[in-house]
Amino acid sequence: MSADGEQKRKGLRVAFAVSVGFTLAVHAGAVLPFLGPLFAAQFLLGSSRPMPPGKTIGAALVILFAGIAMMALTDLLGERPMPFLLILGLTYFACFALQSAGRGGPAVFLVLVVSIIVPLLGILNKELASSILSVLVAGVLSGTALMWLAHAIFPEPVSPGSEAAAVEQRRPALLRALANAFILLSSVVMCLTSDNLSAAAVIPITVASLLGQLDVAASARAAIGLVFVNFCGGVLASVAYAALLLRPSLLSIFLILLVVALLIGGRAAARSKDARVFAGVLTIFLILFGLGVSPLPGSAAESFASRIAYVAAALTYALLLSAVLWPPEEGNRPHQAALKPNVDGP
């Protein structure tokens, strides 16, 4: 079995799950229509094979229980900032530590997303806080269903050794995970103090996504390139939303998402270090485009340009703070080198 064929099938699964799932969510009037497709895309990009039923149920339960725990945390400590932020920061640290150790698969990033969205929406939108559990349950169930349906339509041929893909080996980097947790938590705090629901949905997830990508950068130029590529994901979402306004319909949503997911999802499905970058770009695109069609307050078309500014600010913020806070002994710091002047004499 060729790696190219496997990549194409995985890319088709992602495009199918994203376009169909997103369109059905909009048709059903989902508050966060990007949630189910985002979960499905992460599951599908994690492996060319469908997850075993036990592992699928386990991952879904972990995500769901994380959401319930975040709801309880917000209800109990939402008015007490210090313990609330401390527990939130410890949660982020645990997720980043698992990511740095290469454990947990896509479920870790999804738990991170849930741990960002649930507390922010619970505090910034009291009306939505009462229904966030049903929104989360719908997202988890639809994401797992889309994953299995995509594998049923585009099955992977059985071939011995086909799962012998190279797995990136990374040793645990606890100091880097601690720095990442601080960077993410500080972005969450800024969103809570600004009382801007749109920024709260964009900035922290963008920060979390970029922090997970920076490991692939081998040079300062590559690190800056990551920022540019992710920013292009936000611009692409703006262009896609403008195209939707010309002919707003479910069919237009489906076609736009299908084309974009085929372009980005195919690159995200590749067996390369760049795959994680394009998976992040797809995440940013889904969130921005989803907010554009969402019934959430502040989702009007005129606020769409400001969301791109939020993406740019979040990317720059994550890059600069990681350059300052990441310990030099924990792997490469290519983006840090871009900020240091050349002090070597002749």
Side-chain angles (χ1 to χ4, degrees):
M1 184 198 316
S2 68
D4 185 59
E6 181 181 349
Q7 176 186 349
K8 288 180 179 179
R9 284 186 293 271
K10 186 185 288 189
L12 286 172
R13 294 185 202 110
V14 172
F16 170 83
V18 166
S19 56
V20 173
F22 197 106
T23 304
L24 291 177
V26 173
H27 177 68
V31 177
L32 300 176
F34 61 84
L35 207 55
L38 177 60
F39 287 177
Q42 291 292 327
F43 285 139
L44 290 168
L45 291 173
S47 174
S48 296
R49 299 286 182 186
M51 287 194 299
K55 190 175 181 180
T56 302
I57 295 173
L61 289 178
V62 167
I63 296 169
L64 184 59
F65 287 153
I68 295 175
M70 286 298 108
M71 286 181 58
L73 174 67
T74 305
D75 291 337
L76 293 175
L77 301 177
E79 301 298 327
R80 300 169 61 188
M82 292 305 296
F84 175 72
L85 294 177
L86 177 61
I87 297 177
L88 208 57
L90 290 175
T91 303
Y92 297 158
F93 169 73
C95 291
F96 283 120
L98 288 172
Q99 280 186 337
S100 69
R103 297 179 179 177
V108 175
F109 178 73
L110 296 180
V111 168
L112 199 58
V113 171
V114 169
S115 300
I116 294 170
I117 290 179
V118 173
L120 286 173
L121 294 185
I123 292 177
L124 297 181
N125 192 317
K126 298 299 182 182
E127 296 180 359
L128 185 59
S130 60
S131 62
I132 190 61
L133 181 58
S134 62
V135 172
L136 183 60
V137 170
V140 172
L141 293 179
S142 61
T144 53
L146 287 168
M147 178 196 69
W148 281 102
L149 184 59
H151 276 290
I153 295 177
F154 303 101
E156 193 69 24
V158 178
S159 176
S162 61
E163 282 297 306
V167 178
E168 184 181 359
Q169 298 293 332
R170 290 176 292 167
R171 61 188 178 92
L174 296 183
L175 291 179
R176 177 178 294 186
L178 184 62
N180 287 348
F182 174 80
I183 295 170
L184 178 58
L185 183 63
S186 58
S187 69
V188 170
V189 171
M190 286 188 291
C191 290
L192 288 174
T193 55
S194 70
D195 197 29
N196 187 323
L197 189 60
S198 178
V202 175
I203 291 179
I205 299 179
T206 302
V207 170
S209 178
L210 184 66
L211 289 174
Q213 299 172 39
L214 283 174
D215 281 342
V216 306
S219 65
R221 180 176 298 178
I224 297 174
L226 285 180
V227 174
F228 177 75
V229 171
N230 280 270
F231 179 73
C232 287
V235 174
L236 183 61
S238 177
V239 173
Y241 188 74
L244 177 63
L245 292 179
L246 297 177
R247 190 179 294 273
S249 67
L250 290 176
L251 179 60
S252 297
I253 292 176
F254 173 78
L255 293 177
I256 289 172
L257 285 166
L258 181 62
V259 172
V260 173
L262 283 172
L263 292 174
I264 302 178
R267 300 293 298 273
R271 293 184 182 180
S272 66
K273 291 184 177 181
D274 292 340
R276 203 193 318 172
V277 177
F278 285 95
V281 172
L282 182 61
T283 297
I284 292 174
F285 174 85
L286 287 175
I287 293 173
L288 286 180
F289 190 75
L291 288 173
V293 299
S294 168
L296 279 174
S299 59
E302 60 267 22
S303 66
F304 210 88
S306 64
R307 294 196 190 107
I308 299 179
Y310 297 152
V311 170
L315 294 171
T316 304
Y317 170 82
L319 182 67
L320 292 178
L321 259 69
S322 61
V324 173
L325 297 178
W326 275 14
E329 68 274 12
E330 298 291 349
N332 294 330
R333 301 180 72 189
H335 48 299
Q336 205 172 25
L339 305 177
K340 290 184 177 180
N342 183 3
V343 295
D344 294 335

